[in-house]
Amino acid sequence: MRKWFSFPITEGKASRQAHCDIPEDTFERECGKEGFFGPATHMYHQHAPTGWTEWEGDLRPHAFDTNKVEDVGDNPLTAPLLLSNANVKVSIWRCDTAMEYLVRNGDGDECLFIHEGSGSLFCDYGHLRFRDGDYLILPRSTNWRIEPDSPVTMLMIEATHGSYMTADRGIVGDHAVFDPAVLEYAKIDDAFIAQQQEEQSWQVYLKSRNAMNRITYPFNPLDAVGWKGNLTVFRLNWRDIRPLMSHRYHLPPSAHTTFVANGFVICTFVPRPIESDPGALKVPFYHNNDDYDEVIFYHKGEFFSRDNIHPGMVTVHPCGFPHGPHPKAFAAGAKAAKKETDEVAVMIDTRMPLDLGDAAKQTELDDYVLSWRTPPRG
Ligand SMILES: [Fe+2]
């Protein structure tokens, strides 16, 4: 058995409630272990903890623009890699015509976040319509293909050797945040039956152990006439997420957890009212999330804690140093200028460090590390 050392101490000036009633002229920084679930200390600084003026070395905040990734190839399983470690692979793919082959990821469950476009997904389990803002969850080794109605851009998140599960809803129960009844699954409907008539030779691209196999069938493998069970392909749209919030306390990102996999979680930030209590912090608190790398993909809206970020961009804040709101956003938060957020973003928090793929490096904004610069306080 193991147990954290835990003995609450207060040194000097501090608030007795995290993220609220912060001592005047101070900046609060949370130093925390194990995401937002381990021991943590709230430290009150005289300067913004992101106020560095120079940074030498590779462990720095990154931002890159997936809109600038030009060649995405024609197979989702070889889409340009943005970020990866042993637990997760994140890539970006675009598709504007119907796939004429099937793909199958033997390396782990797949989460497709539809950034733009709509269409039909055909898979072993049947037919499922999708639109922008959907998460499509595909169990490992599912055969699938898409037929777009309009050009599709998707963020692909592979749970390498792992599975996507739901988060424990704790004291709010299973129907909060989203009711499991809002999930839609692939069905054996008329469209699925109609595509079975294409009795020609079909190829399946199977990725396994990160290598590609091409398997040819003299018939269409999507030929199921029925199935039963509790494993399937399903979709969840962010519009069906009803976020937890408190008008008196800035909840940590973990309150917005949507999927849990081995070594990482996916959280969804959706529009919500901003805290109204005069003493409550109105923007994300500065923090070292000391055991996790933190990735945010910006999908839609105005990103309330960041300056100069637009849809399709990604930020990566490796663990080891603090991050937090940009100066303009911090000042707006202090004035309580905004009453609600309209941003939609996908966050991926990984327990092990991430490596940047070529597509991320090639579209990186070099000066992002200095984007928190502020004039010194007088
Ligand atoms: Fe964070």
Side-chain angles (χ1 to χ4, degrees), residues 36 253 284-285 287-289 294 296 306 317 323-324 347 349:
F36 300 95
F285 41 92
H287 61 282
N288 303 27
N289 191 351
E294 192 173 301
I296 301 182
R306 300 259 178 275
H317 295 141
H323 57 258
M347 184 169 94
D349 270 15

Side-chain angles (χ1 to χ4, degrees), residues 141-187:
S141 282
T142 300
N143 286 309
W144 63 274
R145 65 184 176 86
I146 62 169
E147 289 186 6
D149 303 333
S150 56
V152 169
T153 302
M154 60 172 80
L155 188 73
M156 302 178 62
I157 311 165
E158 173 193 287
T160 312
H161 303 300
S163 306
Y164 283 109
M165 302 176 86
T166 190
D168 182 355
R169 311 289 169 85
I171 57 172
V172 297
D174 281 343
H175 303 99
V177 188
F178 63 87
D179 191 314
V182 305
L183 303 177
E184 289 177 15
Y185 61 90
K187 293 191 173 161

